[in-house]
Amino acid sequence: MTDTIIKNATWAISGEKYDLSLTTCEDGKHPQLDGITLTGVERCEPAGKLPVPQGAQVIDAAGKLLLPALFDMHAKVEISGRSKRESVNRTGQAATNGGVWAMLVMPNRGFCFDSAPNLDSFRDAVEQRSSAEMYAAGCITLGMGGEQQAPYNTLAARGVRILSDAEHVPANLLTLHRVMKYVAELDMVLAIRGDVPELTRNTYMHPGATSYRLGLHGTPACAEEIGIETLLRLAADAGARIHIQTVSTAEGVDIIRRAKAAGQKVTAEVALHHLLFTHEDVGNYNTNYKVLPPLRERRDCEALIAGVKDGTIDCIVSDHTPCIPFAKKQDFITAPHGMAVLDHFLPALYTHLVKPSLLTWAELVRACSTAPCGIVKPVDEYDEPRVAPLMLFDPSACGTVQAAQLACGTQNSPFIGGELCGSVILPLQ
Amino acid sequence: MKPRKDLITIGSLSDEEINTILDSATAMKDIFTKSVKKVPALKGKSVLTLFYEPSTRTRSSFEVAAHRLSADVTTFTVGTSSVVKGESVHDTIDTLMSMKMDYIIVRHKNSGIPDVIARHCKAAVINAGDGAHAHPSQAFLDAFTIREKYGTVAGKRVVIIGDILHSRVARSTSTILQRLGAQVAYMGPGPLVPLQAHTGIPRFTNWDEVFDWKPDVIYLLRVQNERIDTPFFPAGDYHQAFGVTEERLKIIDDLDLGIMHPGPVNRGVELCDAAMEYRNCLVCNQVENGIAARMSILYHLTPQTQNND
């Protein structure tokens, strides 16, 4: 029984206009466009071809874009000093505002997914308080300490498919090699970033004119690149599927491109901020631009965008890291890493990448929705695959971002005070 | 000239401010020759020295400078304070501001801390050295010393030698000298001298290149082993490779070059003993001028506490 009709919506990928009738029936067959299932839609016809039944509610979507909601496969939800449920609630709201229907949550100090009880308490909080779906990435090592392996069988039995210690990289290669063998056996994915801890200890930003001026020691790009090469070699040997997190350098993209060409089972992601900002944005110790790995040079941004376009980089992620205002008011060395970008994820992607024609909508949908969903493979409680819902996006709604608008509960967003275009209507109904 | 609250970096100052501070340092130095070495410029003002890192010269130099301007000086000793209990810098400053300090002179191992403090409080904040970032009062005393010795800084050629990477002195002194029209070059062990592309300053790696460049002043930085966590130098040959040896001192003497060093000198590492006695060794002048420069800096700043009390 249809009671809502959406008219004149523009399918973002092709630019063609469609009329849709929505259904609340979950198990029916849904139509597809460009290979993407239109979840929640009963019929989809070219604009003007869909009859409107008597009494139906009609939403005029002229000028609005229709696309699948985004899947963010790298975010954190914990806000220190707040209750876990409150953190989950706020992050879920921020995700919905930013066009994200589901996310893969990285472990951190508060939500350390290294045991069944920790996982269960998180899932309870999500079920009760989150407007967005949240899936947990299990820890690689207990407490993300880099030494003792987490209970992988227990985590796998609870549906965990991805293992990650977030930004932490076990320094011991023997540990990593063993982890990869477990990952291969259990058909999991190891999500990890490239790093050589000896090379990056006590470093705070990309080495260059800005780091020299500020007297901050530089994080060499080669540390990340050697790290990626090492991970690829270990994974190839162990037969493990790995996902390289937060690639930040041009050479890192090339290394992954070569590995893919050689047929290795590897996927990769880039954080939105590594596509948009450079080390110069740190300016005069602006802690909102302190991220891990650090912001690099313009040529790295360009190489990363090229990597997204040719599919070397599978996903664009938010790497959303809420930090309480006090933490970011400290000096650059003491302040924590991370940006809170979920609230404006899609508007920022649109304003800074699609609008200036750096990415197409098709590339954005692939990198931010279908590809991450394909890696994480989210399932519901009956083990049925979950599919992205649809959303409407109004690209003409432009405005200045105010700190007070942020649902995520923190203010470490680089977009505050800037102009962003686009507002999200999610869920559709 | 707009009143200035803080001195964090040389880069934040206008040319006019740099020249004003240098000029009034000359006037301050005249006070030293009087029988009463004190003026009432900062009478009734409270000056706090907040040193999170050990320091003898800079701290006592600032304290003498403040005393000569008739200010009341309080010394905050980090080692015996709540800082060792993990108190944040913000909370320490809030506590100290409740005591109505007008000037805070701060040194910290983290680059950027004085900037955070300056934005957080109404007192005038003077950066007395933060990590590898800046040491503006050292820059002023260095520029003052060169100006005093040669009559002008403009057109002089200064080579700064040593661990540039970890040095706030190199960053601040090179900046002020360039702003005053001098030319600056860096020389030191390869891993410790940043690329010219990052600094905009010519980069040498040996003494032959230094002498070919025809400098007027050789400025040696202290080897700061306490700031270096992993070995940077090939074992044992720093003095031979980068120091002023007795042979090099002869060349320096022949060329009539000045020698400077921010102190404290590691004898036998940066400078041989004889170099300390060399006729153009300006190290003691630097110490004396440090007081004049710091008096001038204190005099030049305007705490916001004055307007709001």
Side-chain angles (χ1 to χ4, degrees), chain A residues 202 207-209 212-217 284-285 326 329-331 333-334, chain B residues 88 90 110-113 115-116 132-133 166 171 174 186 194 198-199 229:
Chain A
N202 296 333
Y212 165 76
R213 174 169 56 80
L214 298 177
L216 295 170
H217 297 314
N284 188 28
Y285 299 109
F326 173 76
K329 276 186 191 151
Q330 299 177 99
D331 65 285
I333 290 174
T334 311
Chain B
S88 77
H90 283 78
N110 286 5
S111 303
I113 285 267
D115 189 49
V116 171
H133 176 221
H166 295 87
R171 285 169 176 78
S174 63
Y186 284 155
H198 297 170
T199 64
D229 44 6

Side-chain angles (χ1 to χ4, degrees), chain B residues 47-75:
Chain B
V47 174
L48 176 83
T49 57
L50 176 60
F51 278 53
Y52 288 85
E53 265 192 340
S55 154
T56 316
R57 286 162 185 256
T58 306
R59 181 180 205 140
S60 52
S61 179
F62 266 113
E63 287 175 356
V64 170
H67 281 302
R68 288 190 181 166
L69 293 170
S70 305
D72 300 318
V73 181
T74 308
T75 302

